[in-house]
Amino acid sequence: MGKKKNELWEWTKALVIAVLLAAVIRYFLFAPIVVDGLSMMPTLHDQDRMIVNKFSYKIGEPERFDIIVFHAPENKDYIKRVIGLPGDKIEYKEDTLYVNGKAYEEPYLDEYKKQVIDGPLTEPFTLKEKIGQETVPEGHLFVMGDNRRFSKDSRHIGPVPLEEVLGDAGIIYWPIEDIRIVN
């Protein structure tokens, strides 16, 4: 009887440790997310399942063109691409991104730019027109979806506070045929 009781206790301890370890990993390090919608097409597809690396932003700030997940004002989590960092002056003209006056290539948009025949993929704008400021405010990011015509992003909801960023979303794990690291 004592041996069975001891074995049950050992299994219970192992199970409790496993559950606690899983909770710590999910809460502090990595979490799954499901892409909801078409705002990040063609890079991400509706219902793609991804891993959010929460640890990456505990040690540093996001970098330009990272794909991040953040708490949006509508009590939803959004997934978008970082376009502007704190202090950046952002402008779009002739379907080209300018950051602080320098033109940037966005190769992840090439597929959609080829398909557009009725104007630019990204309508021209300045940061002043969209958020009423010349530069991205300190402690904030300017984010946009890759499907520029059909994305609710910083052009609509304003800059994203850094404290609302959950982490970097760089790995698709489902569906199996789409498993990859995204850029």
Side-chain angles (χ1 to χ4, degrees):
M1 180 77 171
K3 186 176 182 180
K4 280 193 177 199
K5 193 173 184 181
N6 193 25
E7 187 175 329
L8 179 62
W9 172 244
E10 291 301 319
W11 275 105
T12 303
K13 283 192 320 189
L15 185 60
V16 168
I17 290 170
V19 168
L20 287 173
L21 189 58
V24 166
I25 289 171
R26 189 175 188 320
Y27 188 76
F28 293 107
L29 301 177
F30 303 101
I33 189 168
V34 178
V35 176
D36 182 21
L38 305 175
S39 72
M40 284 298 292
M41 290 283 290
T43 308
L44 304 176
H45 302 98
D46 187 35
Q47 300 304 304
D48 277 351
R49 279 142 174 84
M50 302 185 73
I51 300 289
V52 177
N53 179 355
K54 294 180 174 186
F55 185 69
S56 61
Y57 295 122
K58 304 292 186 228
I59 56 175
E61 289 189 7
E63 295 181 14
R64 189 175 334 283
F65 306 126
D66 282 355
I67 296 174
I68 63 166
V69 176
F70 61 93
H71 295 304
E74 297 89 20
N75 293 323
K76 286 182 71 176
D77 291 340
Y78 279 12
I79 184 165
K80 304 291 178 194
R81 190 177 296 275
V82 175
I83 300 299
L85 301 170
D88 282 348
K89 184 176 180 181
I90 305 295
E91 181 178 12
Y92 260 92
K93 57 185 176 187
E94 297 177 15
D95 226 0
T96 301
L97 167 65
Y98 291 86
V99 179
N100 301 322
K102 178 184 173 198
Y104 278 82
E105 300 241 342
E106 295 180 284
Y108 47 86
L109 297 179
D110 289 347
E111 183 180 328
Y112 268 14
K113 283 184 178 181
K114 289 178 196 168
Q115 296 173 9
V116 175
I117 56 173
D118 62 342
L121 177 64
T122 308
E123 290 296 324
F125 71 87
T126 64
L127 207 55
K128 181 84 170 165
E129 293 168 350
K130 293 298 179 185
I131 68 168
Q133 297 183 15
E134 294 287 332
T135 61
V136 177
E138 285 303 314
H140 290 75
L141 302 170
F142 190 86
V143 298
M144 293 176 72
D146 290 355
N147 191 355
R148 298 293 166 79
R149 291 183 168 189
F150 303 100
S151 176
K152 187 172 186 182
D153 49 41
S154 286
R155 294 172 291 174
H156 311 98
I157 64 171
V160 175
L162 280 169
E163 61 266 10
E164 297 298 327
V165 176
L166 296 175
D168 178 297
I171 300 172
I172 297 173
Y173 69 88
W174 191 263
I176 290 176
E177 62 271 9
D178 290 338
I179 290 177
R180 70 184 191 282
I181 296 173
V182 291
N183 298 327

